[in-house]
Amino acid sequence: MITAICPGSYDPVTNGHLDVIARAAGIFDRVVVGVVGEPRHKTPMFGVEERVEFLQGALSNLDNVEIDVFRELVVEFAKKWDAKAIVKGLRVISDFEWEFQMNQLNRHLAPDVETVYVMASPQVSFVSSSGVKEIAAFGGDISALVPEPVARRFKDLFPNGRPGTPENPTE
């Protein structure tokens, strides 16, 4: 049995994540979706339990997919599951730059674990968790970008949207 892991913060899970996970499930015998318990590079909007719950609901139709929370190096998580591959989705060139660096570090730590990149499908290549959060916070419709429970949760969090306009991160 060949196992792959799909690590991420999934804050929240998007249809882009689901696309990559489903495609990985078609390639590997078992896919373990690894939810980062305590991300170091950002503070999650949703707690780990809620992120796992969103994933469980969205992936229940895939028999060879499991979900687990991890708080160690991704290569240690891969070893824990005896995974041969780390699956990462790529949307844009800037994703590749970051993932290339991570791949080199991971190969240094665990040369026997390969990283496999799955290009985002065109219909979800523009979807990011941060973009979804921004749209939802200002009252925009994200129903086509995320699973229904995620969209519903955002409606509960931001029933009328925030006043003002989104900030331009380049300013």
Side-chain angles (χ1 to χ4, degrees), residues 10-156:
Y10 300 104
D11 185 47
V13 63
T14 68
N15 291 344
H17 293 129
L18 299 179
D19 172 63
V20 168
I21 294 165
R23 290 166 56 205
I27 298 168
F28 296 97
D29 299 311
R30 176 173 65 178
V31 174
V32 180
V33 176
V35 181
V36 179
E38 299 166 11
R40 299 276 187 242
H41 63 284
K42 58 184 169 183
T43 302
M45 175 178 258
F46 298 100
V48 68
E49 298 83 12
E50 195 166 21
R51 290 182 278 141
V52 167
E53 188 177 305
F54 288 147
L55 283 160
Q56 287 171 333
L59 298 170
S60 63
N61 63 320
L62 298 175
D63 294 335
N64 64 333
V65 174
E66 299 179 44
I67 301 163
D68 193 13
V69 175
F70 72 102
R71 291 178 168 83
E72 64 264 16
L73 291 171
V74 71
V75 293
E76 295 303 320
F77 182 69
K79 288 177 185 178
K80 174 178 142 183
W81 282 93
D82 195 29
K84 303 288 183 234
I86 300 168
V87 176
K88 301 293 290 187
L90 294 177
R91 296 171 300 129
V92 294
I93 295 294
S94 59
D95 286 351
F96 178 77
E97 292 174 16
W98 168 257
E99 294 300 342
F100 181 81
Q101 182 181 15
M102 291 300 98
N103 173 61
Q104 298 305 318
L105 291 169
N106 288 337
R107 285 195 58 86
H108 172 74
L109 296 171
D112 55 325
V113 179
E114 292 292 336
T115 301
V116 176
Y117 298 101
V118 176
M119 298 300 295
S121 295
Q123 59 270 34
V124 292
S125 64
F126 62 93
V127 181
S128 68
S129 292
S130 58
V132 163
K133 288 187 275 194
E134 185 82 359
I135 293 167
F138 286 93
D141 180 12
I142 57 164
S143 60
L145 308 176
V146 296
E148 192 274 330
V150 175
R152 189 173 56 242
R153 179 71 167 104
F154 273 113
K155 280 198 178 282
D156 291 344

